[in-house]
Amino acid sequence: MHRTYSMRQSRAPTASQIENPPPPTSSTKGGRLFGRANFGHAFRKGTAGAFGPDLAKKLSQLVKMEKNVMRSMELVGRERMEVAQQLSLWGELCDDDVSDVTDKLGVLIYEIGELEDQFVDRYDQYRVTMKSIRNIEASVQPSRDRKQKITDQIAQLKYKEPNSPRIVVLEQELVRAEAESLVAEAQLSNITREKLKAAFTYQFDAMREHCEKLAIIAGYGTHLLELVDDNPVTPGETRPAYDGYEASKAIIQDCEDALTNWVSGSAVVKSSLSTRSRTLSQRRKNAVKRNAEGGVDLSGQDQPLKSDRDSWVPAGQHGEYAGDEVSDEEEEEDEVATGANGQARGRTEQPTAA
């Protein structure tokens, strides 16, 4: 019998992919510095957040930990495909009904492995969006540092030279630095909320689709098992000839059609709020709406700043934070180089919390 390991011979876009086009391949699937070993996981978790601006350290650690999660899911998907093939190979030596059903079960399990691979790509949308928040946090750090530096200079001059004319100049610079810092902090606050909602929308949408499709496969897998004759036989008795080949093919085809035609609007599992939850949520929405209508108009606060020398600029334009926009793999290489020569490259290494 011809053994099959994939549900679909051709990979036409599904209804869900047409409704919501798939994202690019996950950045965790290539260019690995440490291969597939667990050492890479331990290294990223141990060094994440040890470098870079203080403001972005915690979120940087979260981004690195999510990369570990994604690579673990990728490994699960690959091994599930291998399990599916091995199940089908084992079934070849069994009776006709067991052989046919295990072959088709292998097809379903292999499809789960491919769904895991697709889920990793969609999950990466969440991680990349959270990473963008980290980059914004890093870009705000220079404005904080500048304000703190001027404050320290003023305090030092007032202690050593209370009558120094430079105090007045520094106080004027401090006023400008505080104004720039207020703009930067407001931008960080607005962007953080926007990106946070977008990031977890990506994650929950991907989870919802993945779990719904897993439930579909599990349901059709149960139908396949009903084709196996599990009635006990006495020694010497012969089981009836198996005639479920067409039925098993039809079940696989039905499963393929169900997966292909699935869209988020046809999801079976619905999250229904209780009356109390709906009331509290609506109360919160109404309060936010009232504050927005009666508050100060901040619609123009995020306009680009003038490009003079005192203006706040993104992290990539500051020499000491120039490395914040590099890819994850380049970050890992930088961390390895730092650990190898024992130098912190101008930044102090801080141990992460256990």
Side-chain angles (χ1 to χ4, degrees):
M1 182 190 303
H2 174 66
R3 316 302 288 184
T4 56
Y5 302 119
S6 181
M7 178 175 290
R8 294 185 288 272
Q9 298 299 322
S10 61
R11 288 291 169 181
T14 64
S16 176
Q17 290 172 337
I18 294 174
E19 179 185 64
N20 184 18
T25 302
S26 168
S27 58
T28 63
K29 291 183 179 178
R32 295 188 177 180
L33 187 62
F34 299 107
R36 300 176 181 177
N38 289 331
F39 176 71
H41 281 221
F43 179 82
R44 277 189 299 274
K45 186 175 180 180
T47 59
F51 308 97
D54 293 338
L55 182 60
K57 283 184 177 180
K58 291 184 177 180
L59 189 52
S60 178
Q61 189 169 12
L62 172 64
V63 170
K64 293 291 186 180
M65 293 172 70
E66 288 289 10
K67 173 178 277 191
N68 287 348
V69 171
M70 290 174 57
R71 288 191 167 170
S72 298
M73 292 189 294
E74 183 185 346
L75 179 62
V76 169
R78 282 199 311 268
E79 294 191 344
R80 199 182 293 275
M81 294 178 189
E82 295 174 359
V83 166
Q85 295 175 359
Q86 191 63 30
L87 173 64
S88 182
L89 291 174
W90 165 75
E92 283 186 294
L93 304 178
C94 300
D95 295 337
D96 289 346
D97 55 347
V98 175
S99 177
D100 182 53
V101 170
T102 54
D103 182 36
K104 301 305 186 292
L105 289 175
V107 172
L108 296 184
I109 295 175
Y110 193 93
E111 181 69 14
I112 292 176
E114 293 190 337
L115 289 177
E116 296 277 3
D117 190 68
Q118 297 170 17
F119 177 66
V120 170
D121 292 338
R122 292 197 178 276
Y123 196 89
D124 193 44
Q125 289 183 290
Y126 147 75
R127 192 186 71 90
V128 170
T129 306
M130 294 299 292
K131 186 177 177 182
S132 68
I133 302 178
R134 182 204 66 182
N135 294 337
I136 295 296
E137 288 182 342
S139 69
V140 172
Q141 188 71 51
S143 66
R144 289 189 177 184
D145 292 345
R146 182 169 178 267
K147 184 176 70 172
Q148 185 61 46
K149 181 180 179 181
I150 296 174
T151 302
D152 294 342
Q153 289 176 343
I154 293 174
Q156 186 177 14
L157 279 176
K158 286 184 176 179
Y159 177 75
K160 292 184 176 181
E161 303 178 41
N163 299 323
S164 173
R166 180 163 170 73
I167 294 178
V168 177
V169 177
L170 288 175
E171 287 178 342
Q172 293 174 349
E173 291 185 9
L174 180 60
V175 172
R176 289 196 297 269
E178 288 177 341
E180 293 164 11
S181 180
L182 284 175
V183 174
E185 297 289 348
Q187 289 177 328
L188 174 61
S189 176
N190 294 339
I191 293 174
T192 296
R193 284 160 173 75
E194 175 189 350
K195 296 291 186 180
L196 177 67
K197 294 180 72 172
F200 278 92
T201 298
Y202 285 137
Q203 181 180 148
F204 293 146
D205 286 348
M207 286 182 176
R208 188 181 190 186
E209 178 176 352
H210 184 66
C211 294
E212 287 269 347
K213 289 185 175 181
L214 288 183
I216 290 173
I217 292 176
Y220 284 100
T222 302
H223 291 308
L224 280 174
L225 293 177
E226 294 175 356
L227 299 177
V228 177
D229 182 9
D230 60 348
N231 294 319
V233 296
T234 58
E237 183 181 356
T238 303
R239 289 187 182 276
Y242 177 66
D243 59 353
Y245 293 108
E246 293 301 322
S248 65
K249 290 180 182 179
I251 291 173
I252 291 295
Q253 185 62 51
D254 290 344
C255 183
E256 178 184 354
D257 293 341
L259 294 175
T260 301
N261 297 325
W262 187 92
V263 292
S264 59
S266 63
V268 176
V269 178
K270 306 291 184 181
S271 54
S272 300
L273 294 178
S274 65
T275 302
R276 180 173 181 272
S277 297
R278 285 196 302 270
T279 302
L280 294 175
S281 298
Q282 189 61 43
R283 185 183 303 171
R284 168 62 180 166
K285 291 179 182 178
N286 293 338
V288 171
K289 185 177 180 180
R290 285 196 303 270
N291 292 336
E293 292 175 349
V296 181
D297 183 12
L298 301 177
S299 60
Q301 68 178 4
D302 290 339
Q303 297 299 320
L305 298 174
K306 296 179 180 179
S307 57
D308 57 6
R309 66 179 182 85
D310 293 327
S311 294
W312 171 75
V313 296
Q317 300 180 26
H318 288 268
E320 58 181 314
Y321 300 110
D324 291 328
E325 299 293 339
V326 298
S327 65
D328 290 329
E329 302 302 334
E330 291 173 346
E331 288 175 352
E332 291 177 6
E333 292 175 0
D334 290 343
E335 291 164 0
V336 172
T338 302
N341 57 29
Q343 298 179 0
R345 298 185 178 181
R347 291 176 288 186
T348 303
E349 181 175 358
Q350 300 178 1
T352 57

